[in-house]
Amino acid sequence: MTGLLLLGMAQLIATDYQEPPEVLPPKVAPIHLPEMKRTVERVDPIRKPQQLPPPVKPQPVERTLEPAQVPIIVGPPVVTQQTIDPGIVSSDPLPFYKPAPRYPSRALAQGIEGYVVVEFTITRSGSVRDPRVVGGYDSAGAPTEVFNRSALNAVERFKYRPTLVDGNPVEKQGVRNRITFKLAE
């Protein structure tokens, strides 16, 4: 084995090994940058305020005070025999679970903010039924539909304490809610 290696090395030394021809890199045209000019921010001059209203004249304050006699009566609390009938209690619906809507990726990519007004029915069990979009608007007040689906998905998960009439839960229709979409700062 050693003999073969020595023979192979001798053969390599005996051959006239030449360096490969040098390949020059391609020529690159010179790059000319345009002349850079400084940009100056235009600042509008500060406007003088309109004519100020006349200063308010101070009112004189009377600094003398006469002590008054206030009768103080301390006694035990009075207990009455009145009871409240729980069947007469009435109340409006009260939200107790309102998850935040998911910000639509299309609106996030475009930097759009806005709000959606949604109308729905609160059932006797406190869940939401039949949500529908009344209107969706961007921050400039222009109508948009980019937030509608996300707002409806959030409203479907809302939970309320239902409306009580004479102590019994009832459905409440036409409940409106404004859902705002604002980018984090």
Side-chain angles (χ1 to χ4, degrees):
M1 184 60 90
T2 307
L4 286 174
L5 283 174
L6 284 175
L7 183 64
M9 289 173 63
Q11 188 66 23
L12 284 173
I13 292 171
T15 58
D16 193 17
Y17 179 73
Q18 292 182 357
E19 184 179 355
E22 184 179 345
V23 178
L24 296 174
K27 288 189 176 184
V28 177
I31 299 172
H32 296 287
L33 293 176
E35 185 178 330
M36 304 296 276
K37 294 181 182 178
R38 285 188 172 178
T39 57
V40 179
E41 233 178 82
R42 185 175 149 220
V43 179
D44 293 333
I46 299 173
R47 297 181 190 168
K48 288 186 177 180
Q50 295 179 354
Q51 197 171 30
L52 296 174
V56 178
K57 294 181 181 177
Q59 298 275 335
V61 178
E62 193 173 318
R63 300 199 183 266
T64 59
L65 183 64
E66 295 181 16
Q69 290 287 354
V70 179
I72 299 176
I73 302 172
V74 179
V78 179
V79 179
T80 61
Q81 296 298 326
Q82 292 180 344
T83 58
I84 298 174
D85 184 8
I88 304 177
V89 175
S90 297
S91 68
D92 287 332
L94 181 68
F96 63 85
Y97 179 68
K98 288 178 116 178
R102 187 167 172 251
Y103 212 97
S105 57
R106 193 172 91 195
L108 189 62
Q110 295 176 1
I112 300 173
E113 294 181 340
Y115 66 93
V116 177
V117 178
V118 182
E119 186 175 85
F120 50 90
T121 301
I122 299 174
T123 64
R124 292 188 313 187
S125 65
S127 61
V128 171
R129 189 181 73 217
D130 304 329
R132 70 177 185 87
V133 173
V134 175
Y137 304 93
D138 62 9
S139 57
T144 183
E145 294 182 359
V146 71
F147 302 112
N148 291 2
R149 178 171 290 151
S150 181
L152 286 174
N153 288 341
V155 168
E156 287 173 346
R157 296 179 301 177
F158 285 2
K159 298 292 180 209
Y160 285 84
R161 186 189 75 195
T163 304
L164 297 177
V165 175
D166 294 333
N168 298 318
V170 294
E171 279 191 356
K172 177 145 184 172
Q173 297 178 349
V175 178
R176 288 193 176 190
N177 200 325
R178 177 178 170 159
I179 300 173
T180 304
F181 293 84
K182 188 163 177 75
L183 294 170
E185 293 180 16

